[in-house]
Amino acid sequence: MDGQKAWKTFTKTSSPQTNARAYRLSPHFRDSKEPALDAVDKIDSMSEDAQEFDFRQPHRVNTRVQGFISDPLTEVALYLRASLFYFNLEKIEHLAESQITSFVGSIHCRLYGGTAPLDLLLDKTSEFKILNSRMPVPETDPMNPFRLPITINISSEHLGRMVDLEVLFNDSIVFVPISGFPCSTRDLISAFDRPLEARAQ
């Protein structure tokens, strides 16, 4: 199997949103050809090659963090940590007079409430950013699942725009997107299986 060829095929057939969150760490193996999937006799040498490989390369998951994170392993770790948070869309409201569409929902976490992993994650989480608005992590009952209510307001002329929903950890200086983001507002609407609600101002 040619892993690099498979990776190129994946990136060519995936959406820009998916590619923005995808990354391949490619250590160089001592053999000119990648070992076969069933080459069990190569496991030890592959492990040594991976341990010795310098991942400090000028490749970034997201160009917005370029210059802030020099280690791709650290960057991938931040993205994996951020993917533990996700957005649950509860309703979509349309304000006819102001031509504003509101995406009402909440940020949740995949980790169970009342567990040490959730406590550790929230302890490392500083704030969230929706578009240009920042929201600090609220005080929550550690025994309950994490839930942060949010509303994303988009004017009608910008309904096709991309929306960033990001998180900042206290051991980093850059925001990274939570699971499923960035995404377009049209994708949010198409994924929502209930009709838009009209709401008077």
Side-chain angles (χ1 to χ4, degrees):
M1 177 179 179
D2 188 334
Q4 193 62 35
K5 182 178 180 180
W7 170 252
K8 290 181 179 179
T9 300
F10 167 77
T11 56
K12 287 180 180 179
T13 57
S14 299
S15 67
Q17 296 96 313
T18 298
N19 285 334
R21 300 191 299 271
Y23 192 73
R24 174 179 167 86
L25 295 171
S26 303
H28 298 160
F29 297 110
R30 62 192 67 182
D31 296 329
S32 59
K33 186 177 181 180
E34 287 186 21
L37 288 176
D38 59 352
V40 294
D41 59 314
K42 300 288 186 179
I43 292 178
D44 289 340
S45 63
M46 290 171 63
S47 177
E48 292 174 2
D49 290 340
Q51 292 289 337
E52 296 172 0
F53 188 70
D54 183 7
F55 286 100
R56 297 177 185 274
Q57 305 171 66
H59 300 294
R60 300 290 185 272
V61 175
N62 191 324
T63 55
R64 287 179 299 179
V65 304
Q66 190 167 2
F68 295 100
I69 301 176
S70 60
D71 183 356
L73 287 177
T74 299
E75 186 177 352
V76 170
L78 287 174
Y79 273 71
L80 289 174
R81 189 193 296 171
S83 71
L84 292 171
F85 293 106
Y86 65 94
F87 176 63
N88 180 49
L89 180 60
E90 298 163 4
K91 62 180 177 178
I92 302 175
E93 298 178 335
H94 182 64
L95 306 179
E97 293 186 13
S98 61
Q99 293 297 299
I100 295 292
T101 298
S102 297
F103 299 86
V104 183
S106 50
I107 298 173
H108 295 259
C109 182
R110 304 183 195 280
L111 302 177
Y112 291 110
T115 62
L118 178 61
D119 290 344
L120 180 61
L121 177 64
L122 295 181
D123 188 56
K124 289 180 175 291
T125 304
S126 296
E127 58 184 311
F128 293 92
K129 184 168 69 172
I130 305 122
L131 299 177
N132 291 319
S133 299
R134 295 189 175 191
M135 298 182 64
V137 178
E139 291 289 337
T140 58
D141 184 343
M143 298 306 296
N144 293 329
F146 177 79
R147 180 178 182 273
L148 176 61
I150 64 170
T151 299
I152 304 172
N153 294 316
I154 305 292
S155 60
S156 297
E157 64 267 27
H158 294 140
L159 266 185
R161 69 169 296 175
M162 297 298 293
V163 176
D164 287 318
L165 184 43
E166 302 170 304
V167 60
L168 176 68
F169 298 109
N170 55 26
D171 55 356
S172 174
I173 59 174
V174 293
F175 283 88
V176 288
I178 70 171
S179 180
F181 286 82
C183 73
S184 72
T185 52
R186 297 195 187 282
D187 287 338
L188 285 173
I189 293 173
S190 63
F192 196 63
D193 59 1
R194 281 167 283 178
L196 276 64
E197 299 180 16
R199 179 161 60 90
Q201 289 183 286

